[in-house]
């Protein structure tokens, strides 16, 4: 974390523990008091209770300005839960961050759905889309909430992304597929699409790329 540059904003997709890690978020808030956190509806209090007050809650379709950026809260196909009694009591989302010269889409954690095409038609093209490629087996259980690598690539195409970066793989062993399989399948799928290997990124830990 100490190697990170100053962070202007953080967007959070949903409240599952592997995506909403309070110790990490508190460190990010302490590093820079001006870092602003954007969350889907009914997730803000969890941050505020932990001393993070630069928070904006947003619903699907909402947009706000931060300096020269526009942050859009957008649909995804997932669910939420942090305890035994709060299933789906907080929202989940994907995000678009649009500036004067660059457009970025963060799919969050999601199954494949036709909303990607709508997002692409409304807000695309995007210079870069971050799409989740892991935790997809067994399909009968995972398909509604997690994309497989081929679906992830298609989601990037649907939102009209010029580049796609793979996320949501290799950190936690969450599902039945081999932990090294998602990036290989993602790159293989790219060879059969307009997003070739130069435009589909699987980053090493700590790697930085400009776009």
């Amino acid at each position: 974390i100490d190697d990170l540059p100053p962070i202007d904003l953080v967007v959070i997709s949903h409240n599952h523990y592997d995506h909403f890690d309070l110790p990490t978020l508190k460190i990010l808030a302490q590093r820079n008091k001006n870092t602003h956190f954007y969350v889907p509806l009914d997730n803000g209090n969890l941050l505020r209770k932990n001393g993070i007050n630069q928070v904006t809650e947003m619903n699907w379709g909402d947009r706000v300005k931060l300096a020269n950026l526009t942050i859009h809260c957008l649909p995804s196909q997932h669910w939420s839960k942090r305890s035994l009694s709060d299933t789906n009591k907080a929202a989940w989302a994907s995000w678009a961050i649009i500036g004067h010269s660059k457009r970025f889409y963060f799919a969050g954690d999601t199954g494949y759905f036709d909303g990607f095409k709508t997002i692409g038609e409304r807000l695309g093209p995007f210079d870069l889309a971050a799409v989740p490629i892991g935790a997809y087996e067994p399909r009968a259980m995972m398909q509604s909430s997690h994309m497989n690598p081929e679906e992830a690539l298609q989601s990037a195409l649907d939102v009209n992304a010029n580049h796609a970066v793979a996320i949501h793989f290799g950190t936690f062993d969450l599902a039945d597929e081999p932990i090294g399989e998602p990036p290989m399948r993602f790159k293989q799928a790219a060879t059969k699409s307009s997003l070739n290997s130069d435009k589909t990124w699987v980053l090493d830990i700590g790697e930085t790329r400009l776009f």
Side-chain angles (χ1 to χ4, degrees):
I1 288 180
D2 290 339
D3 294 331
L4 292 173
I7 294 174
D8 299 301
L9 66 99
V10 174
V11 290
I12 297 173
S13 59
H14 63 298
N15 69 5
H16 288 161
Y17 282 86
D18 56 325
H19 294 260
F20 199 126
D21 182 65
L22 283 169
T24 301
L25 296 172
K26 286 193 284 188
I27 291 171
L28 293 177
Q30 291 164 2
R31 288 178 79 239
N32 181 357
K33 298 301 181 183
N34 293 318
T35 299
H36 203 98
F37 295 78
Y38 296 88
V39 296
L41 286 181
D42 299 313
N43 288 283
N45 282 341
L46 185 56
L47 290 175
R48 296 184 191 99
K49 288 177 182 177
N50 285 271
I52 301 173
N53 296 309
Q54 292 281 90
V55 179
T56 298
E57 290 188 37
M58 297 175 65
N59 197 4
W60 294 356
D62 289 347
R63 62 181 180 179
V64 297
K65 288 280 190 179
L66 178 68
N68 63 345
L69 301 175
T70 304
I71 296 110
H72 295 259
C73 182
L74 300 167
S76 65
Q77 183 172 288
H78 204 60
W79 57 291
S80 66
K81 184 181 181 71
R82 283 183 78 88
S83 69
L84 292 176
S85 60
D86 68 346
T87 302
N88 293 340
K89 290 185 177 179
W92 51 91
S94 65
W95 300 88
I97 301 170
I98 297 176
H100 294 315
S101 61
K102 296 292 184 182
R103 307 171 80 88
F104 172 67
Y105 177 67
F106 168 50
D109 207 353
T110 180
Y112 181 77
F113 73 126
D114 58 10
F116 293 122
K117 292 181 180 178
T118 303
I119 290 167
E121 291 167 358
R122 178 185 166 202
L123 295 172
F126 291 96
D127 297 280
L128 179 65
V131 293
I133 68 169
Y136 48 82
E137 293 289 351
R139 294 306 286 153
M141 178 186 297
M142 297 296 192
Q143 186 169 14
S144 63
S145 57
H146 289 148
M147 295 189 286
N148 65 28
E150 294 78 18
E151 290 170 330
L153 185 72
Q154 185 61 50
S155 74
L157 294 169
D158 288 352
V159 300
N160 295 319
N162 294 321
H163 293 77
V165 59
I167 60 172
H168 198 259
F169 71 97
T171 303
F172 301 103
D173 192 1
L174 296 172
D176 287 352
E177 77 269 7
I179 198 165
E181 180 181 275
M184 291 188 295
R185 282 179 55 173
F186 185 64
K187 297 299 286 186
Q188 288 170 357
T191 65
K192 304 172 185 177
S193 81
S194 58
L195 285 175
N196 58 36
S197 59
D198 292 334
K199 294 183 177 181
T200 48
W201 300 348
V202 177
L203 302 185
D204 292 330
I205 294 173
E207 182 179 354
T208 300
R209 294 195 191 184
L210 297 177
F211 78 97

